[in-house]
């Protein structure tokens, strides 16, 4: 068989369904969901490490927060390059290598004795690895494998991270409390390694690899040629996007999203609750419950995004989040009481509900470059998270409490709601930027 014939055979469309009658895209989405769940273990640990590391090594909360800050910043800044690398080398290779780097960084922390080693292992290595496992991964899978139901799928894949938090937070908090932080770090490393075989054996880069059309597509889509110059493309897309107003508004709102979730609640809720006398395991369990309702809220948000104006959804989400943060200082107590449970449920529903409408606005404004643009928007999310992860620790060291951080974050969320409303819609009939 000649090379031309072989290429034609690869691109020859087959039936869109498996022998079970389900489109292959849903199996790819399921594998992606499992991968993100497994990778979520590393995101469950930082908030549990602040007090143990402070007690064992005497490091300030600001120093520990700095390592978390580097991790969160690299998580975001690596994402746009990871999306471009997936175009060049394929999803499987990029994600498998990223998981291995995460396992190396997390496992190496058990031997650290100095703060710079925490910055290197947890900040640099785990930060770089997580960047490739960021939401740009979910965006790339969604854009390649789905033409319809994109809002729903992006909501489901976004919820996977919360599902992983639900699974790992109680286990890791129990491990830290009973056996110390080192076995918890090893658990994270093993969880990342366990996912690698699923990626390599079950994930596929493009529907054309298995001779199928994307879900909902009317025509077969050939696999595009590998895109060379991944870093150059990521920077080129950024330089084009920064000349548009919607990019700055999307980046600004998402920076506040990161500041009020990953940087604030995920990093500082457990130590803040512990300051008020709540056991670490109880506080971590509340954080895990956020993950339960995060799944429902994010999937629902994906469904809403397919039916309602994304800008208005974002405004509502940020406004409600800001109001809830203003009440949090009054709710922290030694025990778990009904108002706190209400806050946890409410915040969980709103946690990453912002992702599906933000993704939809990126697709509307930037077309084929939307995954990379969203990677840069996600970078702003993580920069916001990184700043609050660090400044929250500094505020606790300076003022003796986190109250000022809760109030400031509530005010920022109000600003994000207004920013979302002024994003201009792309006129009907005008092609998205590509």
């Amino acid at each position: 068989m000649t090379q031309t014939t072989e290429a034609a055979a690869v691109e020859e469309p087959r039936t869109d369904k498996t022998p079970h009658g389900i489109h292959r895209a849903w199996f790819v989405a399921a594998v992606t969901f499992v991968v993100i769940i497994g990778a979520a273990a590393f995101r469950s640990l930082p908030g549990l490490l602040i007090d143990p590391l402070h007690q064992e090594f005497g490091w300030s909360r600001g120093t520990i927060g700095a390592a978390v800050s580097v991790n969160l910043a690299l998580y975001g800044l690596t994402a746009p390059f990871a999306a471009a690398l997936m175009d060049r080398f394929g999803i499987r290779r990029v994600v498998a290598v990223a998981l291995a780097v995460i396992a190396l960084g997390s496992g190496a922390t058990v031997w650290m004795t100095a703060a710079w080693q925490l910055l290197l292992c947890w900040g640099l290595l785990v930060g770089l690895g997580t960047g490739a496992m960021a939401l740009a991964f979910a965006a790339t899978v969604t854009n390649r494998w789905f033409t319809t139901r994109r809002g729903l799928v992006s909501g489901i894949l976004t919820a996977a991270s919360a599902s992983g938090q639900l699974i790992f937070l109680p286990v890791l908090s129990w491990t830290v409390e009973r056996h110390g932080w080192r076995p918890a770090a090893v658990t994270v490393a093993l969880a990342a390694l366990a996912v690698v075989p699923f990626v390599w054996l079950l994930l596929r880069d493009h529907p054309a690899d298995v001779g199928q059309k994307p879900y909902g597509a009317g025509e077969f889509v050939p696999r595009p040629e590998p895109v060379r110059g991944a870093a150059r493309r990521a920077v080129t897309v950024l330089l084009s996007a920064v000349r548009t107003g919607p990019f700055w508004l999307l980046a600004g709102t998402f920076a506040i999203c990161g500041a009020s979730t990953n940087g604030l609640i995920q990093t500082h809720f457990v130590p803040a609750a512990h300051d008020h006398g709540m056991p670490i395991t109880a506080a971590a369990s509340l954080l895990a419950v956020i993950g339960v309702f995060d799944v429902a809220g994010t999937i629902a948000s994906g469904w809403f995004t397919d039916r309602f104006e994304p800008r208005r959804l974002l405004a509502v989400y940020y406004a409600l989040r800001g109001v809830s943060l203003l009440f949090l200082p009054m709710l922290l107590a030694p025990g778990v009481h009904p108002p706190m449970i209400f806050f946890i449920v409410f915040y969980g529903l709103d946690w990453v509900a912002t992702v599906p409408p933000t993704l939809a606005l990126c697709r509307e404004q930037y077309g084929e470059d939307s995954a990379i643009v969203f990677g840069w928007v996600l970078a702003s999310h993580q920069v916001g998270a990184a700043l609050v992860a660090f400044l929250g620790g500094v505020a606790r060291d300076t003022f003796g409490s986190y109250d000022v951080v809760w109030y400031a974050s509530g005010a920022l969320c109000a600003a994000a709601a207004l920013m979302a409303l002024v994003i201009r819609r792309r006129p009907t009939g005008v092609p998205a930027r590509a």
Side-chain angles (χ1 to χ4, degrees):
M1 181 181 293
T2 66
Q3 187 173 3
T4 303
T5 306
E6 288 176 355
V10 170
E11 294 187 357
E12 183 180 353
R14 301 194 297 268
T15 177
D16 286 343
K17 296 182 179 180
T18 66
H20 302 287
I22 302 175
H23 194 285
R24 180 66 176 264
W26 294 107
F27 285 92
V28 172
V31 172
T32 305
F33 187 88
V34 172
V35 169
I36 296 175
I37 284 179
F42 52 77
R43 300 189 64 190
S44 304
L45 193 56
L48 305 177
L49 293 180
I50 292 177
D51 284 337
L53 293 178
H54 174 69
Q55 293 167 7
E56 179 173 337
F57 298 106
W59 301 335
S60 71
R61 291 174 176 83
T63 298
I64 301 168
V68 178
S69 178
V70 171
N71 176 294
L72 292 172
L74 286 176
Y75 174 87
L77 294 172
T78 304
F81 295 98
L85 286 172
M86 288 177 188
D87 287 342
R88 173 67 179 90
F89 298 105
I91 298 173
R92 287 196 303 171
R93 293 178 181 176
V94 173
V95 174
V97 170
L99 287 167
V101 171
I102 291 167
L104 174 63
S106 180
T109 59
V110 301
W111 292 290
M112 68 182 179
T113 56
W116 69 266
Q117 294 166 343
L118 178 65
L119 286 166
L120 174 64
C121 295
W122 198 264
L124 180 63
L125 292 178
V126 177
L128 289 173
T130 56
M133 295 298 303
L135 292 173
F137 171 40
T140 301
V141 170
T142 302
N143 289 347
R144 289 186 182 185
W145 281 88
F146 292 87
T147 300
T148 59
R149 299 290 187 270
R150 282 178 170 174
L152 176 62
V153 174
S154 62
I156 293 173
L157 295 182
T158 302
S161 183
S163 301
Q165 176 177 289
L166 167 64
I167 294 169
F168 287 107
L169 258 176
V171 174
L172 293 176
S173 64
W174 178 87
T175 303
V176 169
E177 197 166 55
R178 297 293 182 88
H179 304 287
W181 63 270
R182 287 180 177 83
V186 172
T187 300
V188 170
L190 293 177
L193 285 177
V195 179
V196 174
F198 287 92
V199 172
W200 198 255
L201 297 176
L202 301 176
L203 196 61
R204 292 294 178 268
D205 292 333
H206 195 277
D209 292 346
V210 290
Q212 293 189 348
K213 297 180 292 185
Y215 181 84
E219 299 180 354
F220 179 76
V221 179
R223 180 187 174 96
E225 292 294 326
V227 180
R228 299 184 182 276
R232 187 185 306 110
R233 184 185 175 207
V235 174
T236 300
V237 170
L238 173 64
L239 293 175
S240 175
V242 296
R243 294 196 292 268
T244 66
F247 174 82
W248 292 106
L249 291 169
L250 288 168
T253 56
F254 225 40
I256 294 171
C257 179
S260 56
T261 53
N262 302 73
L264 182 64
I265 297 296
Q266 191 167 51
T267 304
H268 294 294
F269 178 79
V270 171
H274 190 56
D275 283 347
H276 287 76
M278 186 180 295
I280 290 178
T281 303
S285 297
L286 288 176
L287 201 56
V289 171
I290 286 181
V292 177
F293 292 94
D294 185 9
V295 174
T298 308
I299 294 174
S301 179
W303 187 86
F304 289 143
T305 301
D306 287 333
R307 291 161 175 79
F308 300 103
E309 170 57 50
R311 297 177 308 149
R312 295 179 181 177
L313 289 176
L314 284 178
V316 171
Y317 296 156
Y318 285 121
L320 293 176
R321 183 184 299 178
V323 170
S324 67
L325 284 173
L326 297 179
F327 283 97
L328 182 57
M330 296 178 282
L331 302 179
L332 292 169
V336 179
H337 47 86
M340 174 58 79
I341 294 175
F342 178 80
F343 170 84
I344 292 297
V345 171
F346 183 87
Y347 212 81
L349 291 172
D350 192 67
W351 183 269
V352 286
T354 56
V355 173
T358 302
L359 264 172
L361 288 170
C362 284
R363 280 195 294 266
E364 175 185 298
Q365 296 288 337
Y366 302 104
E368 294 180 0
D369 288 333
S370 61
I372 296 177
V373 172
F374 180 72
W376 285 112
V377 171
L378 179 63
S380 72
H381 180 282
Q382 295 308 116
V383 169
L387 286 173
V388 172
F390 172 65
L391 294 176
V394 172
R396 172 62 179 80
D397 290 333
T398 303
F399 302 108
S401 77
Y402 286 99
D403 288 358
V404 66
V405 186
W406 307 131
Y407 295 135
S409 297
L412 285 174
C413 288
L418 295 176
M419 292 167 65
L421 289 175
V422 300
I423 298 175
R424 293 183 179 180
R425 294 197 64 183
R426 183 175 56 83
T428 304
V430 177
R433 298 176 183 87

